[in-house]
Amino acid sequence: PQLVLQRLTLDDLPALRVPDGFALERCARAFTDTDRAGIADVLGAAFPEMTWTPERVSATLTKDTTCIATFVLRHGASGQIAATATARLDPAFPGAGYVHWVAAHPAYR
């Protein structure tokens, strides 16, 4: 079973507040090697029962046409990826989507 929530519009969302020392960015469709490795690290730490590699990140996020955006939360001057989330289209519901592969590295929870 899954919980499904429906929101008809995103127009009235509150302003996004990112904590000091962090930066939120939308990754380009062609992730860098560093992006893929950082996202794999976060997903692997958040889902230890799964094996995440940069290649799997590429196949799951950038080569899947239902994946329309991947966001990362970076920390500090090094830009280490602390968390990630992906927006996907839902083929079962044309024009609708959902948030998928939401993960935060345990060090940042």
Side-chain angles (χ1 to χ4, degrees):
Q2 285 186 321
L3 172 64
V4 177
L5 302 172
Q6 182 180 16
R7 185 174 188 98
L8 297 178
T9 179
L10 301 177
D11 296 336
D12 59 348
L13 292 175
L16 180 65
R17 291 182 19 200
V18 177
D20 290 340
F22 290 87
L24 182 67
E25 72 178 49
R26 181 178 178 169
C27 284
R29 195 79 175 140
F31 297 148
T32 67
D33 290 342
T34 303
D35 290 336
R36 284 189 295 276
I39 293 169
D41 181 53
V42 170
L43 289 169
F47 301 101
E49 69 280 7
M50 303 175 80
T51 302
W52 282 93
T53 63
E55 295 76 23
R56 182 171 183 188
V57 167
S58 183
T60 303
L61 304 180
T62 61
K63 293 182 181 173
D64 183 338
T65 58
T66 66
C67 174
I68 58 172
T70 297
F71 297 87
V72 295
L73 185 67
R74 295 187 185 273
H75 179 251
S78 68
Q80 180 178 355
I81 297 176
T84 186
T86 299
R88 299 190 98 105
L89 295 174
D90 189 340
F93 301 97
Y98 59 100
V99 181
H100 198 351
W101 294 119
V102 177
H105 194 283
Y108 294 98
R109 288 186 194 154

